[in-house]
Amino acid sequence: MAKKKGRLDFIKMKEAHEAVAWVTAYDFPTAQFAEAAGIDMILVGDSLGMCTLGYQGTIPVTMDECISHCKAVRRGAPNTFVIGDMPFGSYQITVADAVANAARFLKEAEVDAIKLEGGQRTAGALKAIADAGVLAMGHIGLTPQSSGPLGGFKAQGLDPHSARFVIEDAIAVQDAGAYALLVEAVPPELCSFIARKLTIPVYSIGAGGPCDGQLLISSDMIGMFQSFTPKFVKVYAHVGQDITNAFKEYVNDVHTGAFPTDEYCYHIRKGMEDEYAKMLAEYE
Ligand code: KIV
């Protein structure tokens, strides 16, 4: 079994130009599959709201839901670096709340780090969390929790004016003491510029390469989440279709009597068949 990676390994990987491959997971089996596949780290994203709980977005996701899913992932991937995603409302109200909620992720779910969205506007919470001794990752560019103010799930930094804003966010995140940064849905030129400029690892989701690693939402890449698939997602499997096909076949088997056949049944103990039949007859 590979040794669990930590912050220093991720810094070494940045220095060696070795890209980190990470995915989201929200449950025990997916976490087990990720660990077995050699995934470098796992994000328990608040995308769990859409991908597993059926919400329209990430806003309704609660701290308790995040903690519960982080615990399941921790149990499934005990030897993988796991990051808990701070849900909307858990770090925007007061800095004290932000630190207390970040601490809950570590104490209750035993994750290795937390992630929060926003650059300059959430740098105060990020600094307080980092100062409290929690490994904190920033998340800038397209930040799904603020898709309302951003005008939807839209790529960011497409023109020099908004790219400048993304760069200022990146600097604010590093200055606040984050150990890493995730950049979402910006042009590759901007993400790789930020990765070269910052000393902390800079990861991309939908922001191309080269940078220090790539994140994809597992439900998107394996075809489990079917409402929409962002442009930047490479689909590696069609698990949702496989499950639907399996269920369809099962429905047909049950309706036609093709299931269950003898091989799927428990059998009366050998030599007791007559006695068994007599006993049943008593109840006729
Ligand atoms: O919740 C999540 O999965 C995320 C990704 C979109 C980066 O924050």
Side-chain angles (χ1 to χ4, degrees):
M1 183 189 304
K3 180 183 148 288
K4 179 176 166 181
K5 294 189 174 79
R7 185 179 73 88
L8 296 180
D9 298 298
F10 297 127
I11 290 173
K12 278 191 202 142
M13 287 175 80
K14 177 181 174 87
E15 286 166 358
H17 303 291
E18 262 179 62
V20 167
W22 53 311
V23 291
T24 63
Y26 316 108
D27 56 38
F28 176 81
T30 311
Q32 281 190 312
F33 297 143
E35 184 159 293
I39 287 289
D40 294 306
M41 57 188 189
I42 294 176
L43 170 68
V44 187
D46 65 350
S47 49
L48 73 89
M50 295 157 87
C51 296
T52 72
L53 300 177
Y55 300 150
Q56 290 296 313
T58 57
I59 300 298
V61 177
T62 65
M63 271 300 295
D64 286 345
E65 286 167 339
C66 286
I67 296 286
S68 168
H69 285 267
C70 281
K71 283 181 173 175
V73 168
R74 178 80 293 163
R75 287 190 288 268
N79 295 307
T80 304
F81 192 89
V82 173
I83 302 159
D85 202 11
M86 297 195 68
F88 182 70
S90 68
Y91 57 95
Q92 292 93 341
I93 298 164
T94 68
V95 164
D97 273 353
V99 176
N101 284 324
R104 274 192 70 189
F105 275 96
L106 270 65
K107 287 172 86 80
E108 296 177 36
E110 297 179 62
V111 301
D112 300 287
I114 60 89
K115 171 175 90 56
L116 70 161
E117 294 184 7
Q120 300 165 82
R121 65 191 158 80
T122 54
L126 184 53
K127 181 170 185 339
I129 292 168
D131 286 350
V134 176
L135 287 181
M137 177 185 286
H139 176 177
I140 62 167
L142 167 53
T143 44
Q145 290 173 15
S146 38
S147 58
L150 291 176
F153 291 95
K154 292 212 169 104
Q156 302 293 306
L158 302 183
D159 58 66
H161 176 71
S162 65
R164 189 185 290 279
F165 197 73
V166 177
I167 292 170
E168 293 298 334
D169 273 347
I171 294 167
V173 165
Q174 176 164 284
D175 288 351
Y179 84 96
L181 172 66
L182 175 65
V183 184
E184 178 164 355
V186 305
E189 294 82 351
L190 180 56
C191 183
S192 58
F193 173 81
I194 293 170
R196 287 195 309 277
K197 179 158 179 66
L198 299 195
T199 54
I200 58 175
V202 175
Y203 304 117
S204 150
I205 177 165
C211 60
D212 302 317
Q214 296 294 327
L215 167 66
L216 280 180
I217 295 195
S218 56
S219 313
D220 291 336
M221 66 180 288
I222 63 169
M224 278 288 278
F225 181 72
Q226 298 184 325
S227 304
F228 65 91
T229 306
K231 170 187 162 73
F232 59 78
V233 174
K234 179 170 175 187
V235 179
Y236 287 84
H238 300 277
V239 173
Q241 194 53 55
D242 288 348
I243 293 173
T244 309
N245 290 345
F247 287 171
K248 274 189 186 161
E249 208 177 317
Y250 167 70
V251 167
N252 186 58
D253 278 1
V254 172
H255 287 174
T256 61
F259 175 84
T261 47
D262 200 44
E263 65 184 303
Y264 300 106
C265 295
Y266 298 103
H267 296 112
I268 295 164
R269 213 159 262 144
K270 282 245 170 325
M272 302 194 108
E273 293 84 354
D274 291 348
E275 201 183 320
Y276 211 97
K278 268 190 218 148
M279 181 278 294
L280 291 182
E282 282 174 26
Y283 289 91
E284 290 279 2

